[in-house]
Amino acid sequence: MRKLFNLLLMAAALFSCQRPLFDTPAREGTGSGGRVPPPSPPDTARYTRSVYSTAIVFPDSVNWRKGQTQGARLVLFKDTAPLRMLDAGNQPQPDRHTFQEGHLWTQFTDGFKTTIACDGNVFFDYPGEEAPLGFLVAGGEVHTLGQHPGGGFTYRINGQEVFSSPQGMVLSWSANPDWEGGALSRDETGVYYSYALPVKDEESEIWEYRVMKGGEIRKMIPAVTGSELHDIRVMDGVVYRLEYRYGRLCFIRDEDLTPLTLPDGAHGMRLTPVDGTMGIKGFHEENRNIHSWIRDADSLLYHHSMLYRHQGDIFAREKEQAVVILDGEDCVVLAIRDTVSVSLPNESYRLHTPRCVQHRKGTLALALTGDTEHEENLLVVNDRKHPMSFNGYFTGIYIE
């Protein structure tokens, strides 16, 4: 019988004695300052990397696979040890929590007020209900991008409204695995997001796009018939976008346009950071294989081919490639980082959310949820497997 709830306090007390999943030295960090509390200091002078994961956990008597959700708890694990447990309510929402800057951040609403908490302690709140689209801790401040139930959104810093649009539609989503802040992103020049506004022409409704730096317009892209924006992001103060123009996908750096030559049937294209620049991620089918790749405007940077009927995702950081491959039932069957690979049985383990895989700092980590009640959950770090026995599902994984 699973004993997570009974053993949580003991495990947390013994946590400092746990051996990390790997002990590669990481860069030293300083506190982020401002109102955000600094990350907890390490127990020893030697810094080690750790894998943090979040999960929604239920009492053993609750069958969450059949829609039962009573008694839910949000649990933060460091490596394989439970570190913190919070009440998740009777209708837990995986998109309302994240781990950033060494802290567990949660968002909840009663329909009248939205509250942001840090490690279970109320950090700030504001009136109204907002669904999270972006969350980012930057420069010692908490940036949120929330969607209103009736349409429109608000961008806030530490709960204070900075910009609001009653009709705007935010681009991107909260669980985008390529961007830490979901629909929010940051660089040394500021915090950015983008949204679309409907514009009616004589024949149909088209869209005008605005790139925002905080509360100010960084760039406005006029509505043009025959053009469709596919993705947009900012890096190093430069606005990048993927845009269809008259049936062809173009990569645009500010106003420098490059038509892309893509394989037939290419799909799933989106912008992704790669090796300090902006890349394009996508997939296509050829010769009964599915190819996943990352490229720039001119050439292919990373590529992996997998057997037909399989699907997956590709990641690249610091000149190193990682690939996650799914079977026909969307279960993970293979995880590859550089020359290291881990195989898993078919139809056994799922990525419950897109944030359950991360490739960072030379590490590929996956938080896998058993596909049936007979399968234990599984934490995979590079080539090592760690069974995790609890009644529930993983919601995210983070490498610090």
Side-chain angles (χ1 to χ4, degrees), residues 268-308:
M269 279 78 70
R270 65 181 189 261
L271 294 171
T272 184
V274 55
D275 299 338
T277 187
M278 191 69 76
I280 307 156
K281 179 185 292 190
F283 310 88
H284 75 278
E285 298 180 16
E286 183 180 358
N287 298 327
R288 298 187 62 80
N289 286 338
I290 294 181
H291 301 261
S292 58
W293 39 263
I294 298 174
R295 57 165 298 152
D296 59 16
D298 303 310
S299 60
L300 191 67
L301 302 176
Y302 298 93
H303 169 262
H304 184 83
S305 175
M306 61 198 85
L307 294 176
Y308 182 66

Side-chain angles (χ1 to χ4, degrees), residues 325-336:
I325 298 176
L326 312 179
D327 62 18
E329 299 299 321
D330 292 331
C331 291
V332 177
V333 292
L334 188 63
I336 306 171

Side-chain angles (χ1 to χ4, degrees), residues 187-321:
D187 60 21
E188 293 181 354
T189 65
V191 173
Y192 295 89
Y193 56 97
S194 303
Y195 71 98
L197 281 173
V199 177
K200 291 187 180 292
D201 66 5
E202 296 180 356
E203 299 180 355
S204 61
E205 185 176 79
I206 55 180
W207 295 88
E208 173 185 288
Y209 301 95
R210 296 182 180 181
V211 180
M212 304 294 295
K213 179 182 179 181
E216 301 178 355
I217 297 176
R218 164 62 177 82
K219 188 179 187 65
M220 188 172 70
I221 303 166
V224 178
T225 301
S227 177
E228 180 184 354
L229 187 70
H230 191 69
D231 198 5
I232 186 167
R233 286 285 177 173
V234 179
M235 179 178 287
D236 297 328
V238 178
V239 178
Y240 295 85
R241 64 190 198 262
L242 290 176
E243 186 174 317
Y244 279 104
R245 291 199 175 182
Y246 307 105
R248 188 166 185 182
L249 188 65
C250 299
F251 180 75
I252 305 174
R253 185 183 187 275
D254 276 339
E255 294 304 320
D256 182 15
L257 184 149
T258 303
L260 296 175
T261 301
L262 299 175
D264 292 338
H267 64 280
M269 279 78 70
R270 65 181 189 261
L271 294 171
T272 184
V274 55
D275 299 338
T277 187
M278 191 69 76
I280 307 156
K281 179 185 292 190
F283 310 88
H284 75 278
E285 298 180 16
E286 183 180 358
N287 298 327
R288 298 187 62 80
N289 286 338
I290 294 181
H291 301 261
S292 58
W293 39 263
I294 298 174
R295 57 165 298 152
D296 59 16
D298 303 310
S299 60
L300 191 67
L301 302 176
Y302 298 93
H303 169 262
H304 184 83
S305 175
M306 61 198 85
L307 294 176
Y308 182 66
R309 291 184 62 102
H310 287 58
Q311 189 58 273
D313 207 347
I314 185 170
F315 306 88
R317 291 287 178 92
E318 299 155 353
K319 304 296 183 181
E320 184 181 79
Q321 174 176 300

Side-chain angles (χ1 to χ4, degrees), residues 54-56 72-76 84-88 97 104 106:
T54 52
I56 299 295
R73 297 290 187 270
L74 169 61
V75 179
L76 172 68
R84 181 166 288 109
M85 181 168 66
L86 305 174
D87 183 7
H97 59 264
L104 177 62
T106 52

Side-chain angles (χ1 to χ4, degrees), residues 344-385:
L344 299 165
N346 288 341
E347 302 180 19
S348 295
Y349 297 101
R350 292 183 181 274
L351 297 168
H352 197 84
T353 77
R355 287 201 178 279
C356 286
V357 56
Q358 187 172 53
H359 178 226
R360 187 167 177 251
K361 296 182 178 180
T363 299
L364 176 63
L366 299 91
L368 301 175
T369 299
D371 192 44
T372 70
E373 59 183 344
H374 305 295
E375 295 283 359
E376 285 188 312
N377 301 319
L378 190 67
L379 189 66
V380 177
V381 180
N382 291 332
D383 60 344
R384 298 167 65 179
K385 302 177 185 179

